[in-house]
Amino acid sequence: MTRQRKGPPPEQLLAAAPVKSLIWTFALPAILSQVVGAMHNIVDQTFIGWGLGDVAIAATNIAFPLATLTTALAALIGMGGAAGFSLRLGKGDRETASQGWGNAILLSLGVGCLLAVLAVLFLRPMLRLFGATQAMMVYAAPYALVISLGLPAAIFSTAMAHFIRADGSPRFSSGVLLSGAVFNMIFDPIFLFLLDLGIQGVALATVLGQVLSSLLTLYYLVRKKRMVTLPRRAFRLSLPVIGSIGALGGALFFNHVIATAAQILLMNMLRTYGAQSTYGSEIAIAAAGAVGKVMIVLLSCVIGIALGSQPILGFNYGRKNYGRVVQTYQTALVYGTVVAAAAFLCMQLFPHQILGLFGSDDPLFYAFGTRYIRIYLLMSFLNAFQPITSTFFTSIGKAKLGFWMALIRQGLLLMPLLALLPLVLGLDGVLWAGAVSDGLAAGMVLLAALFAVGIAVIVFHDWTRIVDVIGRLFSSWWSGLLTAVYAGAAVWFIFG
């Protein structure tokens, strides 16, 4: 039987608590875990830069697509399964919700083991595909080998954190991810400097942190309170249940896969055109990777807001409380845009100070890093819309729309631009590809009128409710300001 909880049951909070405060109840722990989790990447890079130099920084950036692919698989299983879990709880179908969780546990472990085996078997060809030069391979190969051994724990703990959050335990979900990240940050310098384990020590700290997160996840599954039980029959694999997980998580998975492909292409373009510039391949890759790590930390707040809205959206859509669904989406989008704008200003105003965190003493590192921030991240203040809207579509069971949103920015815009613009502009073309894709993607979404017509049709299945939805979405001054910012940025970028 499900154990009794203190205070209002999670179902009551999801259905009736004020949306503005409820989002923060779920989002703050998610933001904390996302930020600290992203911070450990910066800590890794900082210690590597201090102890091993710029080439080692570039080498770990080359291996980063492996981490992105891990996140993609965890999102496929975790977010896809958690979205279905919330929808079924909203409908009162606890048995199917329990079966979805049990199947997701088996999938995360199985997929993690399979990916680990493949990564070890094809390690060097994989790293060359990611863009490694011969100089980088000295560091990239041993680092990626150790990281590969921890992939089962990484996918399992990250996927289950989504379920724990959807189960009404956002703080424990945050603790699962925080524990591994904090462990990593503490033991990075110990393994690297005190024990002199080199770059393998940095990777080992990461893997042991993931193992710790997995142990906390197992504790929750066995001992903590849940809205459902997990009997043995919940672990019987079911094709319909697995198909549902794949359908709901497919858009997020595809988003991460396309992002991984774009990252690989970006590294290869930086290697090719960086070699033709005064910066060189290693400096270009190291600086771009360092900036990317910082931007991930800043935008982790946006991801946390998106994750915090997921249980509220899914549960209330399952209960057909559509007004609350729209209100949650609107509130999350406004909060996310404010955070994205603040991150943009921080990067643009303090580029030298941010790059100084990585311990490089090469002036070319700072010169290219600053240029990368100024151009590639020019339109990054628009980056809240995609993750929050994609989470919205997945949470209400409309994952195909999230798929197209992911495809527009990464697949149809960024990757072709990364391949074509450098032919005309050289290394600067690589940088402008990011700004152009961000600006055009926001403009295309606006032209699709997702704020009004799309949500009316998707949520209400009724064109006559468009006016009502417009009124809900733009009922306050900050909603109108948000729309004006998006529209103004798109018009300026396209016609200015």
Side-chain angles (χ1 to χ4, degrees):
M1 296 179 63
T2 304
R3 301 180 186 181
Q4 295 295 318
R5 294 176 180 265
K6 296 180 180 180
E11 296 94 328
Q12 182 178 333
L13 289 174
L14 291 169
V19 167
K20 291 182 181 180
S21 59
L22 185 62
I23 283 184
W24 289 118
T25 299
F26 282 87
L28 284 176
I31 289 171
L32 182 61
S33 62
Q34 289 289 314
V35 168
V36 175
M39 277 293 296
H40 95 260
N41 289 319
I42 291 185
V43 172
D44 279 357
Q45 298 279 284
T46 300
F47 288 132
I48 289 170
W50 290 346
L52 301 173
D54 292 340
V55 175
I57 292 178
T60 55
N61 288 328
I62 285 295
F64 194 68
L66 187 60
T68 310
L69 182 58
T70 301
T71 304
L73 291 167
L76 171 66
I77 299 167
M79 278 295 289
F85 179 83
S86 296
L87 285 168
R88 292 176 186 118
L89 283 180
K91 296 176 181 177
D93 186 359
R94 292 178 180 272
E95 183 173 351
T96 308
S98 173
Q99 188 178 20
W101 197 343
N103 277 225
I105 291 172
L106 296 180
L107 284 174
S108 62
L109 292 172
V111 169
C113 291
L114 177 61
L115 182 61
V117 171
L118 292 175
V120 171
L121 289 177
F122 302 102
L123 186 69
R124 287 183 175 271
M126 176 185 70
L127 292 173
R128 282 193 289 269
L129 175 66
F130 290 171
T133 64
Q134 195 59 41
M136 295 178 204
M137 194 67 77
V138 176
Y139 294 107
Y143 177 83
L145 177 61
V146 177
I147 290 294
S148 297
L149 298 177
L151 293 178
I155 293 176
F156 172 69
S157 59
T158 306
M160 290 304 103
H162 293 295
F163 275 93
I164 294 171
R165 186 182 305 107
D167 190 44
S169 300
R171 291 181 181 177
F172 199 97
S173 172
S174 175
V176 165
L177 301 178
L178 278 173
S179 61
V182 172
F183 180 96
N184 183 23
M185 288 189 286
I186 292 173
F187 281 89
D188 262 346
I190 294 174
F191 289 167
L192 179 60
F193 299 115
L194 186 62
L195 300 182
D196 196 25
L197 296 179
I199 202 163
Q200 295 99 320
V202 176
L204 181 61
T206 299
V207 170
L208 291 179
Q210 292 162 349
V211 171
L212 176 60
S213 295
S214 295
L215 292 175
L216 284 175
T217 299
L218 288 173
Y219 171 75
Y220 185 91
L221 295 174
V222 174
R223 300 295 300 272
K224 292 293 289 182
K225 305 166 185 176
R226 298 184 299 271
M227 287 193 276
V228 298
T229 57
L230 290 172
R232 183 175 299 178
R233 63 178 179 275
F235 294 91
R236 295 172 186 165
L237 291 177
S238 165
L239 288 179
V241 171
I242 294 173
S244 174
I245 291 173
L248 291 174
L252 291 170
F253 172 74
F254 185 78
N255 190 7
H256 282 92
V257 168
I258 290 293
T260 302
Q263 177 77 5
I264 293 170
L265 181 58
L266 174 62
M267 292 296 110
N268 277 279
M269 291 297 102
L270 289 171
R271 179 183 65 178
T272 300
Y273 291 96
Q276 302 171 14
S277 72
T278 57
Y279 304 109
S281 298
E282 284 77 18
I283 287 293
I285 291 175
V291 172
K293 296 294 195 309
V294 176
M295 200 62 189
I296 288 173
V297 171
L298 295 175
L299 292 182
S300 289
C301 297
V302 176
I303 304 299
I305 292 170
L307 294 175
S309 68
Q310 181 271 317
I312 310 169
L313 291 166
F315 186 87
N316 285 282
Y317 188 82
R319 289 216 170 172
K320 300 184 179 181
N321 190 354
Y322 300 133
R324 191 169 172 83
V325 171
V326 171
Q327 184 185 4
T328 301
Y329 171 68
Q330 176 198 41
T331 304
L333 191 59
V334 171
Y335 291 160
T337 299
V338 171
V339 170
F344 167 80
L345 290 174
C346 182
M347 295 294 290
Q348 296 294 330
L349 293 176
F350 307 107
H352 195 276
Q353 291 86 341
I354 289 170
L355 291 165
L357 295 172
F358 297 93
S360 177
D361 56 2
D362 192 330
L364 292 176
F365 178 88
Y366 291 93
F368 181 77
T370 300
R371 188 164 183 79
Y372 187 88
I373 289 172
R374 295 281 190 245
I375 299 175
Y376 194 86
L377 301 180
L378 179 63
M379 303 297 288
S380 60
F381 63 91
L382 298 173
N383 286 352
F385 188 83
Q386 182 175 347
I388 291 175
T389 304
S390 182
T391 299
F392 166 75
F393 289 138
T394 300
S395 300
I396 65 173
K398 308 296 180 182
K400 289 182 179 179
L401 290 166
F403 167 86
W404 287 109
M405 177 160 289
L407 182 64
I408 286 173
R409 185 194 179 272
Q410 303 280 4
L412 298 183
L413 292 173
L414 180 57
M415 293 181 68
L417 288 170
L418 280 172
L420 295 175
L421 287 184
L423 297 176
V424 180
L425 301 175
L427 186 59
D428 278 354
V430 179
L431 308 186
W432 278 107
V436 173
S437 61
D438 284 340
L440 289 180
M444 292 172 72
V445 170
L446 283 168
L447 292 175
L450 284 176
F451 274 101
V453 178
I455 293 174
V457 176
I458 294 161
V459 176
F460 297 106
H461 308 283
D462 183 358
W463 288 88
T464 63
R465 299 296 299 278
I466 292 174
V467 174
D468 178 59
V469 174
I470 293 174
R472 288 179 181 274
L473 284 174
F474 308 129
S475 58
S476 58
W477 68 268
W478 41 267
S479 301
L481 179 61
L482 171 63
T483 307
V485 168
Y486 277 126
V491 171
W492 172 84
F493 192 85
I494 296 171
F495 301 109

